Amino acid sequence: MNLILWRHAEAEDVAAPLRIHRSTDLQRELTRRGEKQAEKMAAWLRPRLPEDTLVLASPAVRTQQTARALTEHFQTLPAMAPGAGVSGILAAIDWPSNRNLVLVGHQPWIGRLASLLIAGSEMDWNVKKAGIWWLYRRVREGQAQTVLRAVANPDLV
């Protein structure tokens, strides 16, 4: 099954004293550049997605806006909020599952999730804003494998 990790596009910055308030962080919107990034990546992703793909987004406004560039039919998953842990996300999406999924979320958990599934341990891998990492889970000779199918960034598409 396909697991596509999509980091939200560029969002407004918040003054340092306000960052400590979780509600302020969740309300950050995409910048004009971020909107263009999201549209560009959605246009690249849309024709490649299997029809039955489920799109899940963090409750943050910026991830909702990024997901909406791809489809109006997405679900919000609170477990994917900023600061989420990889184990909580894997449990919330029931991975490995029999679903094709797009997760629209945040650093650092996107990079940590990618590293865990590809390399077998959580590491702080950097995923660019609006970047997509497309993973595929398969079984070969009785062994489960995660294959990196694609990495795409707005400046490359």
Side-chain angles (χ1 to χ4, degrees):
M1 297 276 79
N2 295 288
L3 178 63
I4 297 142
L5 307 174
W6 188 9
R7 183 177 178 193
H8 66 79
E10 182 183 273
E12 301 170 326
D13 201 13
V14 176
L18 296 176
R19 281 190 204 131
I20 60 171
H21 298 290
R22 182 174 167 82
S23 62
T24 301
D25 181 53
L26 291 176
Q27 296 306 312
R28 291 173 46 212
E29 295 186 10
L30 295 182
T31 62
R32 192 163 191 80
R33 179 175 184 230
E35 291 170 357
K36 290 177 185 176
Q37 290 173 332
E39 287 295 333
K40 192 173 194 180
M41 295 311 296
W44 179 85
L45 189 56
R46 196 175 291 111
R48 293 169 173 81
L49 283 179
E51 283 185 31
D52 64 342
T53 301
L54 175 62
V55 179
L56 301 171
S58 150
V61 170
R62 59 195 179 274
T63 56
Q64 303 273 310
Q65 291 173 314
T66 301
R68 197 167 287 113
L70 179 64
T71 180
E72 288 290 327
H73 306 287
F74 66 89
Q75 295 177 15
T76 300
L77 190 61
M80 293 175 18
V86 169
S87 60
I89 291 168
L90 289 173
I93 66 170
D94 194 27
W95 186 260
S97 73
N98 292 324
R99 303 268 338 231
N100 292 306
L101 300 171
V102 173
L103 306 184
V104 185
H106 311 271
Q107 277 295 93
W109 69 252
I110 284 183
R112 290 176 182 163
L113 180 56
S115 73
L116 178 64
L117 296 178
I118 295 170
S121 64
E122 279 188 48
M123 295 176 267
D124 288 325
W125 287 2
N126 188 27
V127 175
K128 290 185 77 164
K129 289 182 180 160
I132 291 173
W133 285 44
W134 188 320
L135 311 177
Y136 180 75
R137 184 164 177 90
R138 67 180 183 196
V139 177
R140 285 271 168 97
E141 299 176 9
Q143 295 281 351
Q145 301 174 336
T146 302
V147 177
L148 178 61
R149 293 188 73 188
V151 173
N153 298 308
D155 55 337
L156 297 176
V157 261

